[in-house]
Short mmCIF file of all heavy atoms in Angstrom, two decimals:
data_model
loop_
_atom_site.label_atom_id
_atom_site.label_comp_id
_atom_site.label_asym_id
_atom_site.label_seq_id
_atom_site.Cartn_x
_atom_site.Cartn_y
_atom_site.Cartn_z
N PRO A 429 14.91 -18.66 -1.38
CA PRO A 429 14.86 -20.03 -0.99
C PRO A 429 16.32 -20.51 -0.42
O PRO A 429 17.25 -20.12 -1.00
CB PRO A 429 14.45 -20.88 -2.12
CG PRO A 429 13.78 -19.84 -3.09
CD PRO A 429 14.45 -18.60 -2.82
N ALA A 430 16.23 -21.19 0.64
CA ALA A 430 17.50 -21.50 1.29
C ALA A 430 18.49 -22.21 0.35
O ALA A 430 19.67 -22.06 0.36
CB ALA A 430 17.23 -22.48 2.53
N SER A 431 17.94 -23.19 -0.48
CA SER A 431 18.73 -23.98 -1.44
C SER A 431 19.51 -23.01 -2.50
O SER A 431 20.60 -23.36 -2.90
CB SER A 431 17.94 -25.04 -2.14
OG SER A 431 16.88 -24.39 -2.81
N VAL A 432 18.75 -22.09 -2.85
CA VAL A 432 19.26 -21.10 -3.88
C VAL A 432 20.37 -20.16 -3.26
O VAL A 432 21.42 -19.90 -3.70
CB VAL A 432 18.14 -20.26 -4.54
CG1 VAL A 432 18.85 -19.46 -5.68
CG2 VAL A 432 17.16 -21.18 -5.16
N VAL A 433 20.04 -19.82 -1.97
CA VAL A 433 20.96 -19.00 -1.23
C VAL A 433 22.33 -19.73 -1.18
O VAL A 433 23.41 -19.12 -1.26
CB VAL A 433 20.52 -18.51 0.19
CG1 VAL A 433 21.49 -17.83 0.96
CG2 VAL A 433 19.30 -17.52 -0.03
N ALA A 434 22.15 -20.99 -0.82
CA ALA A 434 23.34 -21.92 -0.54
C ALA A 434 24.18 -21.94 -1.83
O ALA A 434 25.42 -22.15 -1.85
CB ALA A 434 23.01 -23.22 -0.04
N GLU A 435 23.55 -21.85 -3.02
CA GLU A 435 24.34 -21.97 -4.28
C GLU A 435 25.19 -20.68 -4.41
O GLU A 435 26.30 -20.82 -5.09
CB GLU A 435 23.31 -22.03 -5.44
CG GLU A 435 22.56 -23.37 -5.54
CD GLU A 435 21.49 -23.35 -6.63
OE1 GLU A 435 21.62 -22.41 -7.52
OE2 GLU A 435 20.69 -24.30 -6.71
N TYR A 436 24.72 -19.61 -3.97
CA TYR A 436 25.52 -18.39 -3.96
C TYR A 436 26.48 -18.24 -2.89
O TYR A 436 27.60 -17.68 -3.01
CB TYR A 436 24.55 -17.09 -3.99
CG TYR A 436 23.94 -16.89 -5.27
CD1 TYR A 436 22.76 -17.54 -5.65
CD2 TYR A 436 24.41 -15.87 -6.20
CE1 TYR A 436 22.13 -17.29 -6.86
CE2 TYR A 436 23.82 -15.66 -7.38
CZ TYR A 436 22.74 -16.36 -7.82
OH TYR A 436 22.02 -16.07 -8.94
N GLU A 437 26.08 -18.81 -1.69
CA GLU A 437 26.95 -18.58 -0.50
C GLU A 437 26.78 -19.90 0.31
O GLU A 437 25.85 -20.01 1.02
CB GLU A 437 26.43 -17.39 0.25
CG GLU A 437 27.30 -17.07 1.54
CD GLU A 437 28.50 -16.21 1.07
OE1 GLU A 437 28.76 -16.00 -0.17
OE2 GLU A 437 29.17 -15.70 2.04
N PRO A 438 27.80 -20.80 0.25
CA PRO A 438 27.68 -22.02 1.09
C PRO A 438 27.61 -21.71 2.57
O PRO A 438 28.21 -20.72 3.04
CB PRO A 438 29.12 -22.68 0.68
CG PRO A 438 29.50 -22.17 -0.59
CD PRO A 438 28.99 -20.77 -0.60
N ALA A 439 26.88 -22.43 3.33
CA ALA A 439 26.60 -22.14 4.72
C ALA A 439 27.99 -22.30 5.46
O ALA A 439 28.66 -23.29 5.30
CB ALA A 439 25.58 -23.04 5.27
N PRO A 440 28.19 -21.34 6.35
CA PRO A 440 29.47 -21.51 7.24
C PRO A 440 29.25 -22.56 8.27
O PRO A 440 28.14 -22.99 8.67
CB PRO A 440 29.58 -20.01 7.81
CG PRO A 440 28.12 -19.64 7.93
CD PRO A 440 27.45 -20.15 6.71
N SER A 441 30.47 -22.97 8.94
CA SER A 441 30.37 -23.99 9.86
C SER A 441 29.64 -23.42 11.19
O SER A 441 29.10 -24.26 11.99
CB SER A 441 31.78 -24.42 10.22
OG SER A 441 32.61 -23.40 10.56
N SER A 442 29.76 -22.23 11.38
CA SER A 442 29.10 -21.58 12.48
C SER A 442 28.71 -20.08 12.11
O SER A 442 29.35 -19.56 11.20
CB SER A 442 29.94 -21.53 13.79
OG SER A 442 31.15 -20.79 13.50
N PRO A 443 27.64 -19.54 12.71
CA PRO A 443 27.24 -18.13 12.29
C PRO A 443 28.38 -17.15 12.54
O PRO A 443 29.12 -17.19 13.50
CB PRO A 443 26.13 -17.89 13.39
CG PRO A 443 25.57 -19.31 13.69
CD PRO A 443 26.80 -20.05 13.80
N GLN A 444 28.55 -16.29 11.57
CA GLN A 444 29.61 -15.25 11.62
C GLN A 444 29.13 -14.08 12.51
O GLN A 444 27.93 -13.77 12.52
CB GLN A 444 29.92 -14.85 10.12
CG GLN A 444 30.32 -15.96 9.25
CD GLN A 444 30.51 -15.49 7.82
OE1 GLN A 444 31.18 -14.48 7.50
NE2 GLN A 444 29.78 -16.11 6.87
N THR A 445 30.05 -13.42 13.03
CA THR A 445 29.76 -12.30 13.82
C THR A 445 29.67 -11.00 13.13
O THR A 445 29.27 -9.90 13.58
CB THR A 445 30.93 -12.01 14.91
OG1 THR A 445 32.07 -11.91 14.28
CG2 THR A 445 31.01 -13.31 15.89
N SER A 446 29.94 -10.99 11.77
CA SER A 446 29.70 -9.90 10.82
C SER A 446 29.65 -10.38 9.48
O SER A 446 29.85 -11.63 9.21
CB SER A 446 30.91 -8.78 11.03
OG SER A 446 32.10 -9.41 10.62
N TYR A 447 29.35 -9.48 8.61
CA TYR A 447 29.17 -9.88 7.14
C TYR A 447 29.59 -8.72 6.23
O TYR A 447 29.36 -7.56 6.62
CB TYR A 447 27.79 -10.26 7.00
CG TYR A 447 27.63 -11.11 5.67
CD1 TYR A 447 27.92 -12.55 5.67
CD2 TYR A 447 27.14 -10.60 4.43
CE1 TYR A 447 27.76 -13.33 4.67
CE2 TYR A 447 27.07 -11.33 3.40
CZ TYR A 447 27.28 -12.76 3.39
OH TYR A 447 27.23 -13.44 2.28
N SER A 448 30.29 -9.15 5.12
CA SER A 448 30.77 -8.11 4.22
C SER A 448 29.64 -7.24 3.64
O SER A 448 28.69 -7.83 3.14
CB SER A 448 31.62 -8.87 3.07
OG SER A 448 31.78 -7.93 2.05
N SER A 449 29.83 -6.00 3.63
CA SER A 449 28.86 -5.22 3.18
C SER A 449 28.68 -5.32 1.65
O SER A 449 27.54 -5.35 1.08
CB SER A 449 29.02 -3.76 3.58
OG SER A 449 28.08 -2.83 2.95
N SER A 450 29.79 -5.45 0.97
CA SER A 450 29.79 -5.47 -0.52
C SER A 450 29.13 -6.97 -0.79
O SER A 450 28.33 -6.92 -1.87
CB SER A 450 31.16 -5.48 -1.05
OG SER A 450 32.01 -6.42 -0.50
N ARG A 451 29.48 -7.93 -0.12
CA ARG A 451 28.83 -9.26 -0.51
C ARG A 451 27.43 -9.30 -0.20
O ARG A 451 26.59 -9.93 -0.94
CB ARG A 451 29.56 -10.33 0.33
CG ARG A 451 29.13 -11.75 0.09
CD ARG A 451 29.28 -12.11 -1.43
NE ARG A 451 28.89 -13.45 -1.74
CZ ARG A 451 28.47 -13.78 -2.94
NH1 ARG A 451 28.42 -12.97 -3.93
NH2 ARG A 451 28.12 -15.15 -3.08
N LEU A 452 26.98 -8.44 0.90
CA LEU A 452 25.59 -8.44 1.16
C LEU A 452 24.81 -7.76 -0.01
O LEU A 452 23.72 -8.23 -0.44
CB LEU A 452 25.39 -7.63 2.43
CG LEU A 452 23.87 -7.62 2.90
CD1 LEU A 452 23.24 -8.88 3.33
CD2 LEU A 452 23.84 -6.55 4.19
N SER A 453 25.40 -6.78 -0.58
CA SER A 453 24.85 -6.04 -1.67
C SER A 453 24.74 -6.92 -2.92
O SER A 453 23.76 -6.89 -3.65
CB SER A 453 25.59 -4.77 -1.96
OG SER A 453 25.61 -3.88 -0.96
N GLU A 454 25.76 -7.69 -3.12
CA GLU A 454 25.80 -8.67 -4.34
C GLU A 454 24.60 -9.70 -4.08
O GLU A 454 23.93 -9.92 -5.17
CB GLU A 454 27.10 -9.35 -4.36
CG GLU A 454 28.32 -8.42 -4.75
CD GLU A 454 29.57 -9.18 -4.76
OE1 GLU A 454 29.53 -10.38 -4.43
OE2 GLU A 454 30.63 -8.52 -4.98
#
Side-chain angles (χ1 to χ4, degrees):
S431 60
V432 183
V433 172
E435 292 177 8
Y436 281 83
E437 186 82 351
S441 56
S442 61
Q444 303 174 55
T445 57
S446 64
Y447 199 79
S448 164
S449 179
S450 61
R451 183 57 180 156
L452 182 64
S453 295
E454 289 174 3

